[in-house]
Amino acid sequence: MKIEAVDLFYLAMPAVTDAGDGSQDALVVRARGGGITAWGECEASPLTSIAAFVCPMSHGACKPVSASVLGAEVSKPEDIARIAAAIEWESMDLLQAAHTWSGIEMALWDLLGRSRGEPVYRLLGYKQAYPKQPYASQLFGDSPEETLRRCRSAREAGFNAVKCGWGPFGRGSVKADADQLAAAREGIGAEGTLLIDAGQIWGEDVAAAEARLPLLKDVKATWLEEPFHGSAYEAYGALAGKAGSLKLAGGEAAHNVYMARHTIDYGKVGYIQIDCGRIGGIGPAKRVADYAVSKGVTYVNHTFTSHLALCASLQPYAGLAGHRICEYPVTPQPMAWEMCANHIEPDKNSEVRVPDRPGLGIEVDIPALRKYSVDTEIKAGGKTLYRTPKIA
Amino acid sequence: MKIEAVDLFYLAMPAVTDAGDGSQDALVVRARGGGITAWGECEASPLTSIAAFVCPMSHGACKPVSASVLGAEVSKPEDIARIAAAIEWESMDLLQAAHTWSGIEMALWDLLGRSRGEPVYRLLGYKQAYPKQPYASQLFGDSPEETLRRCRSAREAGFNAVKCGWGPFGRGSVKADADQLAAAREGIGAEGTLLIDAGQIWGEDVAAAEARLPLLKDVKATWLEEPFHGSAYEAYGALAGKAGSLKLAGGEAAHNVYMARHTIDYGKVGYIQIDCGRIGGIGPAKRVADYAVSKGVTYVNHTFTSHLALCASLQPYAGLAGHRICEYPVTPQPMAWEMCANHIEPDKNSEVRVPDRPGLGIEVDIPALRKYSVDTEIKAGGKTLYRTPKIA
C-alpha cells in the first residue's frame, strides 16, 4: 500500500511546567494507507518536529521529512528501512529529522501490523513476547521525605522496582545525595530494585560522579543512569571502570544506531536505554537490541510519555526473555494517559506485556486528541505549510 | 551588556533546487545589545531552526533556545560559554537546538568583538590571523568533461586548490569515478591541490570506499572527505588504516565537541572539518581546533554558504599558522553573495585572511535581506510565536 497521508497532532497540558516531566506534551502521528489508520508518537518538542516535516527544502541533502515519506510504498518491513535510508540521505543536514521520523516510523509499523493482523514484534522476527518487569519511573522529591513518600507509593501500587531521577540529585552535596538515596531505598524496601538517574548532571566530570559511587553501592542501586552528557563516552567508560558491580545505563539521547553502539562500545554501559521516539523508531531500536545481545548488554526502553510510545518502545525487545526490566511512566500527566484508549497495566505478578493485538496494540482516544490539541499554523513564502489537521 | 533582542531572518533563492548546494537559503541572526547590532548565521533548514527558537517548552530539559538567550548578560567570552552550557542543559531534548544556537553564538561573538573594537580571533586568544589557502569548493560535474571544465575555471580564477564533491561520484562504477577523478586532476593541473568529497555515499561500506583508494592515490588526492555516515567512526577508522598517505577528512555533521573529538579519536581523520553553523558556534569550534593541535590533526572550516558564515568559520583557527587550507565557496548563489556587504577575496598570492575589523568583520547588506526574505509566521495555542521581524 501507499502512504496516503501523514498527519501530525500537537497535544499539550493547558500549563506546561519546567519539571523534568516529559509527559506534558506530545506529537502524535497518524498515518493512513490502504484504508487503514495507524498511530505513532515523536519525542519531543512538537512544534520543532512539525517544522522538520513541512519545512521547504534547503538543498538536495536537506529536504523535509515529508519528501521521503508521502506517497512511498509500504508493504513489508524492508520498505520502512528503505524510507529510513532515504531520510538519512535526503535530510542529512536537517538535525531534527531523526525525531520527526521516529514517530512516523512507529506509525508505519503500526500500519503494517494492522494490515497483516500481526503484532509488530512478530514482524520484527520475534516468535513471542515475554513479560517485562516495569519500574516506576519518577522524579526525586525536593526533600528526602518526599522521595521516601513517592517510593513508598510506588511500592504500595505494586511496583517492586523504582527509578528516581533528576530533581535535586547531584546538584548539592554528597551528603544531600546520600540522604536522598537512603530515602529511596527505604521507600522501595530492602528487596526492591532501585535505579538512579542522574540526568547528565555531571557533564563530563568523572570525579563528581565517582564521589557518589560508594553511596550508590551502599543502597544497592542496580544502575546509575546518565551521569554525563550523552556523547561523553570517555567519561562513561572511565566511570564504568571504577564502578565495579554497579552498572551504568545510558543511550536515551541516541538519534541513530551508531550513537547507541558507541554508548556500548566506548561508554561501557551495562544497560542501553533506547527511546524509539528519538532514535528513528522501532527498526533502528531492534538493531540496537540485536547489538546489545551480541555484546552482553541489557536492552531497556526509555519512555516518559504515553502508552502509545510505551507500547512502541517495548516491541524492539519484546522477544528477549532475559532483558526483563522496562521503564514505565507511573505518574503521567492526564493528557498522556487520556490520549490512549487502552493501556498496558501491570498484572497480578507486577509484570507488563505488549498487547497481543495487531500493530502496536494501542488505540488513540479521539476526544482526548481534541481536548488537548494545540492549534498550530505555519506559513512561509506565502504558503500555509502546516495547519492542525481535522482529527476525525 | 544584556542581549536585548535576537531576530531571525529566513532568506532563500526564489527557486531552491535539489542540487547539493548549501548556498540556496540561509538563516541570518541579528543580535542587539548595548546599542550594538551584530550578525550570525545558522546552517541549515531555516524554518526548523526558527521553530527551535520559539517553540513552547515541552518540559524542564526541553525549552526553546530563546529561553536561555534573551536577556542574558554578555560582556566577556565566558558569558557566551555559560549560555552555551545553559542551552545544553535546558534544551537537552531539543535536537535542533545546536543548529539554532550556532548562529546566535556567532552573533554574540560579533557583538562582543564590536563592543571591544577587536576581531573575534583575538578574543579567542590568538595574537594574529594567518593567511589561509582557499580551496574552490564545488560539485562534480554530471560528466567528466563538465568536471574538467569546472576545475579549469577554478584554476583560471586563481585557485591552486580545488575540492570536487557529490554529484555522480560513488554512485556508479569504479571506472566512472576514475574518469571523474582524472578529469578533476587534469583541470586543476599537476601541481594543484585536489580534494575529494564523497558526501557519505558509502554509508558504512568500507569495501566500496576501499575500491576507490588506488584511484585517489593515482590522482594524488590530498584527502577523501566523508566517505561514510558522519557517525560511522569504525568505518572511518578501518579505511584510514588502509589509506596510507591519503588522509581522511570529516566532521562537518558534528553538533557538539564530543562528536568532533570522536571523529578524530575513533575515525582517525587527518583533517577535522567543523561547521560553525552546526557545532554550536565559534567557542566549541575553537575547542576542537585546540584538540586537533594536540592530536596532530589539521583543522579545516566547513562552509558552503555566505561570507558571513565563512568569516565566522575562519576565526577558530585563524591563529594556527600551520593549518593553512580553508574551504571557500566559489560559486555561491546570488542570495548568499549579496547578503554580505563585504567579502573575503583571495589576494594576489591566492590567499585569504579574516578581515582586520571588529567582530566577525562582515557587514550584512540590508537591501539584500529584504530582497531574499521568506516571510514566515508561526502560531500555536492562540499565540503568534514568530513573524518575520522588520529588517530595519
Side-chain angles (χ1 to χ4, degrees):
Chain A
M1 61 201 144
K2 283 223 180 318
I3 304 171
E4 290 152 18
V6 170
D7 293 310
L8 306 179
F9 299 94
Y10 177 1
L11 311 186
M13 291 295 293
V16 171
T17 75
D18 68 357
D21 174 0
S23 72
Q24 302 183 80
D25 67 8
L27 183 61
V28 175
V29 178
R30 180 178 67 194
R32 286 181 163 156
I36 298 167
T37 298
W39 302 90
E41 186 179 336
C42 303
E43 174 28 54
S45 191
L47 181 69
T48 312
S49 286
I50 291 170
F53 188 70
V54 303
C55 60
M57 169 169 69
S58 287
H59 56 80
C62 193
K63 293 181 187 169
V65 172
S66 57
S68 303
V69 171
L70 297 176
E73 181 68 29
V74 179
S75 54
K76 53 189 186 306
E78 294 75 15
D79 292 330
I80 301 177
R82 182 182 39 76
I83 300 171
I87 288 171
E88 199 166 84
W89 179 262
E90 310 265 344
S91 301
M92 186 188 293
D93 290 348
L94 177 51
L95 191 50
Q96 190 73 16
H99 283 195
T100 302
W101 165 239
S102 292
I104 299 168
E105 205 258 17
M106 283 179 207
L108 297 184
W109 282 104
D110 193 36
L111 190 68
L112 212 52
R114 287 171 188 259
S115 83
R116 294 192 181 186
E118 291 265 28
V120 169
Y121 68 83
R122 292 185 65 92
L123 301 182
L124 293 172
Y126 292 127
K127 295 253 185 302
Q128 69 175 106
Y130 293 93
K132 303 292 179 194
Q133 180 192 16
Y135 65 81
S137 186
Q138 53 189 24
L139 306 175
F140 275 109
D142 287 338
S143 64
E145 295 70 30
E146 176 62 16
T147 295
L148 173 63
R149 197 190 62 71
R150 290 184 188 180
C151 291
R152 268 199 190 131
S153 297
R155 187 185 180 186
E156 285 160 12
F159 290 96
N160 46 32
V162 69
K163 182 170 88 183
C164 293
W166 297 74
F169 188 74
R171 291 172 179 257
S173 65
V174 172
K175 171 70 171 61
D177 287 350
D179 293 344
Q180 282 280 1
L181 291 172
R185 169 52 74 197
E186 185 181 340
I188 189 65
E191 301 306 312
T193 297
L194 178 60
L195 313 166
I196 301 300
D197 180 2
Q200 303 194 8
I201 191 71
W202 297 301
E204 54 179 329
D205 182 351
V206 176
E210 195 181 351
R212 274 75 178 184
L213 290 180
L215 322 178
L216 291 158
K217 288 178 187 174
D218 281 352
V219 296
K220 297 191 172 57
T222 297
W223 79 46
L224 172 62
E225 174 177 339
E226 282 222 312
F228 308 117
H229 185 290
S231 294
Y233 307 135
E234 295 71 24
Y236 271 90
L239 188 66
K242 298 167 191 283
S245 60
L246 176 74
K247 299 289 185 192
L248 302 188
E252 67 176 83
H255 56 81
N256 61 47
V257 172
Y258 299 105
M259 298 173 84
R261 276 173 21 192
H262 297 151
T263 304
I264 292 172
D265 292 339
Y266 307 129
K268 309 289 184 196
V269 296
Y271 294 86
I272 183 77
Q273 303 173 290
I274 298 304
D275 197 313
C276 278
R278 295 178 183 160
I279 200 168
I282 291 170
K286 171 63 163 58
R287 288 170 57 200
V288 176
D290 292 344
Y291 193 73
V293 168
S294 79
K295 294 285 176 174
V297 162
T298 303
Y299 183 102
V300 197
N301 66 307
H302 175 267
T303 311
F304 211 98
T305 52
S306 78
H307 279 222
L308 175 60
L310 175 64
C311 204
S313 75
L314 294 177
Q315 307 286 343
Y317 77 120
L320 301 180
H323 300 228
R324 272 191 40 86
I325 209 162
C326 114
E327 179 163 37
Y328 186 89
V330 72
T331 52
Q333 295 295 320
M335 177 220 79
W337 183 263
E338 294 172 26
M339 63 170 264
C340 297
N342 60 317
H343 300 87
I344 305 176
E345 302 208 55
D347 63 17
K348 62 183 187 332
N349 299 321
S350 297
E351 291 177 331
V352 296
R353 50 193 84 211
V354 292
D356 187 22
R357 297 170 60 157
L360 299 176
I362 293 288
E363 295 302 327
V364 163
D365 186 77
I366 302 297
L369 256 55
R370 278 201 204 94
K371 176 177 172 187
Y372 293 104
S373 175
V374 178
D375 272 350
T376 302
E377 188 175 3
I378 301 177
K379 294 183 196 177
K383 287 185 194 158
T384 297
L385 300 176
Y386 177 85
R387 185 178 287 149
T388 299
K390 286 223 161 117
I391 289 173
Chain B
M1 62 202 146
K2 282 225 180 318
I3 304 172
E4 291 152 18
V6 169
D7 293 310
L8 306 179
F9 300 95
Y10 177 0
L11 312 185
M13 291 295 293
V16 171
T17 75
D18 69 356
D21 174 359
S23 72
Q24 301 182 82
D25 66 8
L27 183 61
V28 175
V29 178
R30 180 178 66 193
R32 284 180 164 157
I36 298 167
T37 298
W39 301 92
E41 187 179 335
C42 303
E43 171 34 48
S45 192
L47 181 70
T48 312
S49 286
I50 291 171
F53 188 71
V54 302
C55 60
M57 171 170 69
S58 285
H59 55 79
C62 194
K63 294 182 186 168
V65 173
S66 58
S68 303
V69 171
L70 296 177
E73 180 67 30
V74 179
S75 54
K76 52 188 187 304
E78 294 75 14
D79 292 331
I80 301 177
R82 180 182 40 75
I83 300 170
I87 288 170
E88 201 167 85
W89 179 264
E90 311 265 343
S91 302
M92 185 188 293
D93 290 347
L94 176 51
L95 190 49
Q96 189 74 14
H99 283 196
T100 302
W101 164 239
S102 292
I104 299 169
E105 205 257 16
M106 282 179 208
L108 297 183
W109 284 103
D110 193 35
L111 191 67
L112 212 52
R114 286 172 188 257
S115 83
R116 294 192 179 185
E118 292 264 28
V120 168
Y121 67 83
R122 292 184 66 91
L123 302 181
L124 293 172
Y126 292 128
K127 295 252 185 304
Q128 68 175 109
Y130 292 93
K132 302 292 180 195
Q133 180 191 16
Y135 66 81
S137 186
Q138 54 189 21
L139 306 174
F140 275 109
D142 287 338
S143 65
E145 294 70 30
E146 176 61 15
T147 296
L148 172 63
R149 196 191 60 72
R150 290 184 188 181
C151 291
R152 268 199 190 131
S153 296
R155 186 185 180 188
E156 285 160 11
F159 290 95
N160 46 34
V162 69
K163 183 169 88 184
C164 293
W166 298 73
F169 189 75
R171 291 174 179 256
S173 66
V174 172
K175 172 67 171 63
D177 287 350
D179 293 344
Q180 283 280 2
L181 291 172
R185 169 51 76 197
E186 185 182 340
I188 189 64
E191 301 305 313
T193 298
L194 178 60
L195 314 166
I196 301 301
D197 180 1
Q200 304 194 8
I201 191 70
W202 297 302
E204 55 179 328
D205 182 350
V206 177
E210 195 181 351
R212 273 75 178 184
L213 290 180
L215 322 178
L216 290 159
K217 289 179 185 173
D218 282 350
V219 298
K220 298 189 171 57
T222 298
W223 80 44
L224 172 63
E225 174 177 339
E226 282 220 312
F228 308 116
H229 186 287
S231 294
Y233 306 136
E234 295 70 25
Y236 270 90
L239 189 66
K242 299 167 190 282
S245 60
L246 176 74
K247 300 289 185 192
L248 302 188
E252 67 177 82
H255 57 80
N256 60 48
V257 171
Y258 300 104
M259 297 172 85
R261 278 175 17 194
H262 298 150
T263 305
I264 291 172
D265 293 339
Y266 307 129
K268 310 289 184 195
V269 296
Y271 294 86
I272 183 76
Q273 303 173 288
I274 298 303
D275 197 313
C276 277
R278 295 178 184 161
I279 200 168
I282 291 170
K286 170 65 162 57
R287 288 169 58 199
V288 176
D290 292 345
Y291 193 73
V293 168
S294 78
K295 294 285 175 174
V297 163
T298 303
Y299 183 101
V300 197
N301 67 305
H302 175 267
T303 311
F304 211 98
T305 52
S306 78
H307 279 222
L308 174 59
L310 176 63
C311 204
S313 76
L314 293 177
Q315 308 286 344
Y317 78 119
L320 301 180
H323 300 228
R324 274 190 40 85
I325 209 163
C326 115
E327 179 163 38
Y328 186 88
V330 72
T331 51
Q333 295 295 320
M335 178 222 79
W337 184 262
E338 294 171 25
M339 62 171 265
C340 298
N342 61 314
H343 299 88
I344 304 175
E345 302 209 55
D347 64 16
K348 62 183 187 330
N349 299 321
S350 296
E351 291 177 332
V352 296
R353 51 194 80 211
V354 292
D356 186 22
R357 297 168 62 156
L360 298 176
I362 292 287
E363 295 302 326
V364 162
D365 187 77
I366 302 298
L369 255 56
R370 278 201 203 93
K371 177 177 171 186
Y372 292 105
S373 176
V374 178
D375 273 351
T376 302
E377 188 175 2
I378 301 177
K379 294 183 197 174
K383 286 185 194 157
T384 298
L385 300 176
Y386 177 86
R387 185 177 288 149
T388 299
K390 285 224 160 114
I391 289 173

